């Protein structure tokens, strides 16, 4: 049984923390708040108290265990403590004790039911003029308060979902392998151009492409927040779906989705031998589009054409530290003729989005973002490339609020532009 279901599974990780405090230097949450209970060391002490039963559930305690799960503490820890596992196990234990807060219950309900989510997004796309007004720098503002901060600049909702506008199976002449594409929610409803770019790259790299209609949310917003039963249901559904496809590779376009497939599903499904087997096979086949592009597109016969751009790259936490995909996006950028790469000082510093964290801690999320925006500004780049749609939303929101027109695209979109140019 995994740590998601039993906090005692991380007892050894908790004991490995020697309380040196090194994690303070890298934690974006601590760097803003300077509060010990907001850094890995402090949260590990809280997890220990929960495990020992000396600290019972309270909403305040559950809130203390929330953070961006950015892995910066894992990366800097000299003892190799897997802080993320402790945090996830403690959040799940607290939900078992006190139940999930209302927002997370609604999230679980919406994300588990794909048909309901589809209907909701379709209705929102049709009626958006009623509740959204255009922002002069792109994106939209809410016309009235709807549970979200009124300052927020939101991205557009696609008029038609990506998966509804593309055929499920794309056969490419001469292709010997098949790639199954997982678009994720944002790649389906908000940034269909990223999914389209991924299809383009895969088909030009010699893959038949299947984009299964029955896919839905990867479950990360739930597993990261301790709502384990709903996350497990999604993991099971995807294990069945992607196992049955028997594709050579499963391609994700977002580090958080990819990490769910690679790392969370094997943990969530470890209690069932048959699902555990499927989850391990799926994990082994999953890769990010940047990895596929480096292995097949850059080494293949497709010629990259010149683009005239100055760009920088923001590394998403779950793609870089989570999936270990760090050098590939930079390699892609540097391979495109005419693209001038202007690196950030801290490319892997968290942008502060972290999914629902950005909803529940919006002010703090923007404070964390400010450092990233200043770093971007100092490069003088005209466009930001990234590999995560949630980071993209966050960067676009922050830039628009600072009066700058956001030019942000996914690495796959940049590469697809060069393939097409
Ligand atoms: S988590 Fe690691 S870096 Fe942080 S206090 Fe513990 S041992 Fe030190
Ligand atoms: S995961 Fe990130 S935000 Fe959370 S404690 Fe570690 S460094 Fe801080």
């Amino acid at each position: 049984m995994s740590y998601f279901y039993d906090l005692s599974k991380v007892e050894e990780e908790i004991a490995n923390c020697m309380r040196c405090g090194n994690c303070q230097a890298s934690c974006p949450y601590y760097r803003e708040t300077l509060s010990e209970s907001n850094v890995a060391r402090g949260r590990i002490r809280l997890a220990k108290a929960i495990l020992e039963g000396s600290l019972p559930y309270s909403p305040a305690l559950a809130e203390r265990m929330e953070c961006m799960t950015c892995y910066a503490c894992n990366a800097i820890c000299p003892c190799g403590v897997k802080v993320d596992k402790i945090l996830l196990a403690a959040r799940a234990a607290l939900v078992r004790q006190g139940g999930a807060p209302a927002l997370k219950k609604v999230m679980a309900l919406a994300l588990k039911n794909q048909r309901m989510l589809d209907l909701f997004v379709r209705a929102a796309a049709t009626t958006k003029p009623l509740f959204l007004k255009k922002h002069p720098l792109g994106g939209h503002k809410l016309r009235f308060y709807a549970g979200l901060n009124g300052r927020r600049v939101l991205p557009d909702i696609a008029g038609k979902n990506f998966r509804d506008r593309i055929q499920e199976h794309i056969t490419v002449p001469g292709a010997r392998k098949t790639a199954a594409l997982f678009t994720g929610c944002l790649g389906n409803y908000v940034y269909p151009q990223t999914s389209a770019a991924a299809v383009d790259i895969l088909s030009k790299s010699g893959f038949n492409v299947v984009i299964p209609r029955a896919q839905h949310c990867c479950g990360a917003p739930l597993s990261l927040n301790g709502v384990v039963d709903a996350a497990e249901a999604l993991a099971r559904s995807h294990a069945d779906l992607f196992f049955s496809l028997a594709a050579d590779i499963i391609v994700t376009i977002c580090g958080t989705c990819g990490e769910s497939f690679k790392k969370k599903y094997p943990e969530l499904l470890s209690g069932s031998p048959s699902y555990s087997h499927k989850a391990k096979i799926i994990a082994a086949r999953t890769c990010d589009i940047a990895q596929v592009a480096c292995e097949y597109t850059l080494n293949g016969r497709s010629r990259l054409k010149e683009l005239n751009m100055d760009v920088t790259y923001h590394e998403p936490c779950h793609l870089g530290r989570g999936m270990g995909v760090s050098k590939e996006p930079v390699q892609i950028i540097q391979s495109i003729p005419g693209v001038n790469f202007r690196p950030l000082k801290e490319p892997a510093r968290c942008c502060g989005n972290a999914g629902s964290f950005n909803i529940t801690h919006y002010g703090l999320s923007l404070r964390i973002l400010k450092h990233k925006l200043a770093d971007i500004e100092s490069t003088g780049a005209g466009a930001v490339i990234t590999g995560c749609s949630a980071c993209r939303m966050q960067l676009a929101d922050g830039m628009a609020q600072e009066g700058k027109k956001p030019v942000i695209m996914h690495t796959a979109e940049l590469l697809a532009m060069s393939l097409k140019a």
Side-chain angles (χ1 to χ4, degrees):
M1 188 176 279
S2 99
Y3 59 85
F4 276 118
Y5 304 92
D6 181 357
L7 184 55
S8 71
K9 296 285 175 197
V10 292
E11 198 170 359
E12 210 180 306
E13 292 294 338
I14 291 174
N16 284 343
C17 172
M18 63 171 179
R19 300 187 190 169
C20 64
N22 271 16
C23 42
Q24 288 182 342
S26 69
C27 176
Y29 201 137
Y30 177 80
R31 283 157 89 179
E32 284 313 310
T33 61
L34 300 181
S35 161
E36 177 64 17
S37 62
N38 290 334
V39 74
R41 180 172 64 177
R43 292 195 167 102
I44 291 171
R45 291 192 78 170
L46 293 176
K48 186 169 187 282
I50 298 166
L51 177 61
E52 290 168 352
S54 56
L55 207 50
Y57 168 85
S58 72
L61 175 61
E63 205 265 327
R64 284 277 175 217
M65 294 309 292
E66 285 181 13
C67 73
M68 289 92 71
T69 326
C70 71
Y71 306 121
C73 44
N74 284 32
I76 205 172
C77 178
C79 302
V81 177
K82 296 190 177 62
V83 184
D84 61 313
K85 290 191 177 177
I86 301 174
L87 295 173
L88 298 187
R91 288 173 200 162
L94 288 170
V95 167
R96 277 195 297 279
Q97 284 179 28
L103 171 71
K104 287 164 192 173
K105 277 190 190 141
V106 173
M107 236 164 54
L109 193 69
L111 298 181
K112 251 171 59 177
N113 189 331
Q114 184 59 27
R115 201 165 286 175
M116 195 170 95
L117 188 60
D118 263 350
L119 280 174
F120 175 77
V121 179
R122 266 183 217 145
T126 318
T127 58
K128 63 189 175 189
L130 296 175
F131 60 93
L132 292 176
K133 57 181 176 211
K134 283 211 158 102
H135 189 278
L137 294 170
H140 294 82
K141 298 263 291 183
L142 285 167
R143 286 190 188 279
F144 48 82
Y145 176 78
L148 292 174
N149 190 297
R151 274 192 293 162
R152 191 186 287 267
V153 181
L154 295 157
D156 201 4
I157 308 167
K160 195 170 182 191
N161 303 339
F162 177 74
R163 296 197 295 265
D164 284 348
R165 62 163 94 153
I166 191 154
Q167 66 209 79
E168 197 165 7
H169 294 267
I170 299 168
T171 306
V172 174
R176 297 223 183 109
K177 291 185 173 184
T178 299
L181 178 65
F182 183 78
T183 68
C185 300
L186 292 175
N188 188 37
Y189 300 123
V190 179
Y191 298 115
Q193 63 271 42
T194 307
S195 300
V199 169
D200 221 24
I201 291 167
L202 291 169
S203 52
K204 286 193 172 118
S205 305
F207 286 93
N208 294 313
V209 188
V210 49
I211 308 119
R213 287 269 191 279
Q215 60 179 285
H216 37 153
C217 169
C218 69
L222 305 168
S223 60
L224 293 172
N225 282 296
V227 191
V228 173
D229 52 349
E232 186 190 324
L234 289 167
R236 275 177 191 262
S237 153
H238 285 134
D240 283 333
L241 175 65
F242 283 91
F243 187 79
S244 72
L245 292 174
D248 298 283
I249 53 172
I250 298 164
V251 180
T252 52
I253 53 176
C254 158
T256 308
C257 303
E259 213 215 354
S260 284
F261 275 60
K262 279 197 100 59
K263 292 187 176 167
K264 303 292 186 305
Y265 287 2
E267 295 286 354
L268 287 163
L269 301 176
S270 59
S272 150
S274 64
Y275 275 103
S276 175
H277 170 70
K278 287 180 185 176
K280 282 180 190 156
I281 292 194
I282 286 168
R285 288 183 189 160
T286 298
C287 45
D288 183 76
I289 185 70
Q291 293 174 297
V292 187
C294 281
E295 189 172 345
Y296 297 95
T297 324
L298 299 188
N299 292 329
R301 276 171 297 161
S302 302
R303 220 162 56 82
L304 296 180
K305 288 157 207 141
E306 189 166 331
L307 301 175
N308 213 334
M309 292 172 81
D310 282 331
V311 307
T312 191
Y313 176 68
H314 160 65
E315 179 178 294
C317 303
H318 293 171
L319 184 62
R321 286 184 289 272
M323 283 182 87
V325 179
S326 197
K327 53 183 192 319
E328 291 88 343
V330 173
Q331 195 185 331
I332 292 168
I333 292 168
Q334 291 182 321
S335 301
I336 300 175
V339 170
N340 181 22
F341 179 48
R342 298 173 176 235
L344 293 173
K345 284 188 200 82
E346 290 188 274
R349 184 176 182 146
C350 178
C351 69
N353 180 283
S356 63
F357 180 86
N358 167 274
I359 298 173
T360 52
H361 299 74
Y362 188 61
L364 177 62
S365 166
L366 287 187
R367 275 162 59 198
I368 293 167
L369 173 64
K370 266 192 175 300
H371 304 281
K372 178 62 67 177
L373 295 181
D375 198 356
I376 291 170
E377 176 84 18
S378 73
T379 65
V384 185
I385 310 301
T386 192
C388 163
S389 300
C391 297
R392 181 178 189 164
M393 274 170 64
Q394 174 85 338
L395 296 171
D397 181 12
M399 284 182 174
Q401 287 194 38
E402 287 191 353
K404 295 167 199 144
K405 184 159 179 63
V407 181
I408 306 164
M409 62 178 83
H410 193 285
T411 321
E413 289 166 42
L414 182 76
L415 180 59
M417 261 169 71
S418 169
L419 288 169
K420 260 191 212 147

